[in-house]
Amino acid sequence: MTSSSSSPPPPPVERELESVVVLDAVVARAGVDDAAPGAASADAERPPPSPPIFSAPHGVFLHRASALKVPEEWTSFLAEEFARACDGVAIAWSKDERVRSRAARDAVPGRIDPNCCDPASDASHPFGVLLRRHAAAHPGALHVDVHGRRDPEGDALVDIGRGDVDVGTGALRGASDDERSRAFAERVRRAVSRRLRAFLATTWGGDGDGDGFEVNDDPVLAGARADGMHTMSQRGVELGLVSVQLELSLRLRNALRADGDATRGFAHAVLAAWEECRSGGITPAVSRQSGQKQELETFPPVSDRRRRSVAQYSSFVKVQGCVS
């Protein structure tokens, strides 16, 4: 544990930036396509106007006040894979930095948690700098902050509630008292939750709400702090991004990292929800308690191999040497 009163100053942000990887999926793919003349022409005709950005701030040990924040497994990997699937951008701690952090089992002296920062300090840590750069280049873009939560069982049910995907739009809701802004935040919450429920139900069975992997659209961890410190989502909204925090259970993270098609499908569901909100075509979600039927989007059929029980992913064996 580290005392906040004796914490060393943070490392220079220039040096810290070297510890963070920025993945631009379009640029990365263009580099491969250059080796095959003409292969990139179709994509070049439809470049994304505002590429989404996926962040994963908890891939290494970090200092948070007087506590040591431990890494959240596979969040860095998933943020990068989501960005690849959506022609987006990802910011995450580099693999070398994740390996170093896991070996030391401690945080770099002075390295603070980007998800618990003084609002005025974003220029002093790499995630704040990179988020600001993306917002300046792509105002109004979607920002998805990827986190790991505990599996919905035991004490976690009491502490943070039931859910394998916690859809947090607290930063959007708290950004303004304007009725239109609050209504937009509600549309985003409903769209992302509905699309992800449909994806989970189609991919792994169940209905995405009470059977199989579950979506919690009113979570405890909603991406907003009330103590004066800011989350990545709050900072993103301040910078003009549309920020959503997704807290993924370990069993869902294990399932996604084991199946590339599922990982891409998850990312596409989030992006489809965002496109729905941007176009104003959102259909209000209907509570299952009301007895009304909720429409489910259809996704491509999946193989029986992917239809494993949720319990299998709760006890998924970690691959030796893999670093999230």
Side-chain angles (χ1 to χ4, degrees), residues 193-207:
S193 299
R194 179 169 56 85
R195 291 275 184 169
L196 286 177
R197 282 193 180 100
F199 165 75
L200 294 173
T202 305
T203 306
W204 282 292
D207 62 7

Side-chain angles (χ1 to χ4, degrees), residues 127-190:
F127 280 78
V129 170
L130 295 170
L131 199 64
R132 177 182 287 275
R133 289 178 184 174
H134 190 82
H138 305 287
L142 174 66
H143 166 220
V144 180
D145 198 33
V146 182
H147 290 267
R149 58 154 286 165
R150 287 175 286 166
D151 286 346
E153 57 191 21
D155 291 344
L157 289 174
V158 177
D159 296 341
I160 55 177
R162 182 177 297 279
D164 292 284
V165 185
D166 289 353
V167 179
T169 54
L172 281 173
R173 289 199 312 270
S176 171
D177 290 331
D178 176 73
E179 184 176 342
R180 185 175 179 181
S181 297
R182 291 197 303 270
F184 178 72
E186 180 65 7
R187 288 202 303 272
V188 173
R189 181 184 71 85
R190 289 182 175 184

Side-chain angles (χ1 to χ4, degrees), residues 261-279:
D261 288 341
T263 300
R264 287 184 288 274
F266 186 99
H268 292 162
V270 174
L271 190 60
W274 168 232
E275 292 297 332
E276 209 174 83
C277 292
R278 288 181 61 222
S279 65

